[in-house]
Amino acid sequence: MTAKEVVQAYAEALGKGDVTTAFSFFSAAVQWHQPGANQFSGIKRGADEIGKMLGGMMAATKGTFILQPNGNLMLNDNIVVMPVRFSGTIDDRSINMTGVDLFEVNEGKITGIWLFSDDQEVEDVFLGK
């Protein structure tokens, strides 16, 4: 699989709620770089830490958190960029924002993920400390 095909398959599996298949595209040493200054920010290492973070987001939003591709995947060698739109609700706060997820793919596995939001301060307020 090309790097773009790996990210496409990951995104399709995640979109169907098939976390096991989505995470099968991670290398054992995958690192997820969650931006900002909120309760989920920081580098998550390995599928377990990433899973706990995503589970925490789903719990905080009572299952309303949705992330969807929002444009064509773009490729430069082993780097893939995926425009995204994400939304959710926490108590009286809601978010509906675009961003970009950048993936590094090596030997058919995702080794790094960096997330970028259109307005990090708004995302930080939404997700809380």
Side-chain angles (χ1 to χ4, degrees):
M1 291 178 101
T2 67
K4 190 173 179 180
E5 290 168 336
V6 168
V7 173
Q8 181 69 42
Y10 161 82
E12 287 174 4
L14 206 55
K16 294 175 186 171
D18 186 352
V19 175
T20 301
T21 298
F23 281 24
S24 74
F25 294 102
F26 289 163
S27 77
V30 63
Q31 290 191 10
W32 181 297
H33 302 258
Q34 186 69 28
N38 62 69
Q39 63 178 320
F40 301 108
S41 297
I43 299 173
K44 310 304 183 237
R45 292 173 174 83
D48 286 347
E49 284 188 17
I50 294 168
K52 286 178 187 171
M53 177 195 62
L54 295 176
M57 288 179 175
M58 291 307 288
T61 63
K62 296 181 175 71
T64 64
F65 185 79
I66 298 171
L67 175 98
Q68 298 175 311
N70 191 40
N72 294 324
L73 294 179
M74 295 168 264
L75 176 69
N76 183 341
D77 193 25
N78 69 323
I79 303 295
V80 180
V81 174
M82 180 172 61
V84 297
R85 175 168 292 281
F86 57 98
S87 60
T89 303
I90 298 175
D91 301 324
D92 62 343
R93 303 183 310 272
S94 64
I95 196 165
N96 186 346
M97 186 179 294
T98 57
V100 174
D101 291 358
L102 183 147
F103 298 82
E104 181 178 23
V105 180
N106 292 293
E107 299 177 7
K109 295 287 186 180
I110 298 169
T111 55
I113 305 167
W114 291 261
L115 282 66
F116 302 85
S117 298
D118 276 343
D119 191 331
Q120 189 60 56
E121 289 181 25
V122 169
E123 182 181 348
D124 287 341
V125 168
F126 172 71
L127 291 173
K129 298 292 179 186

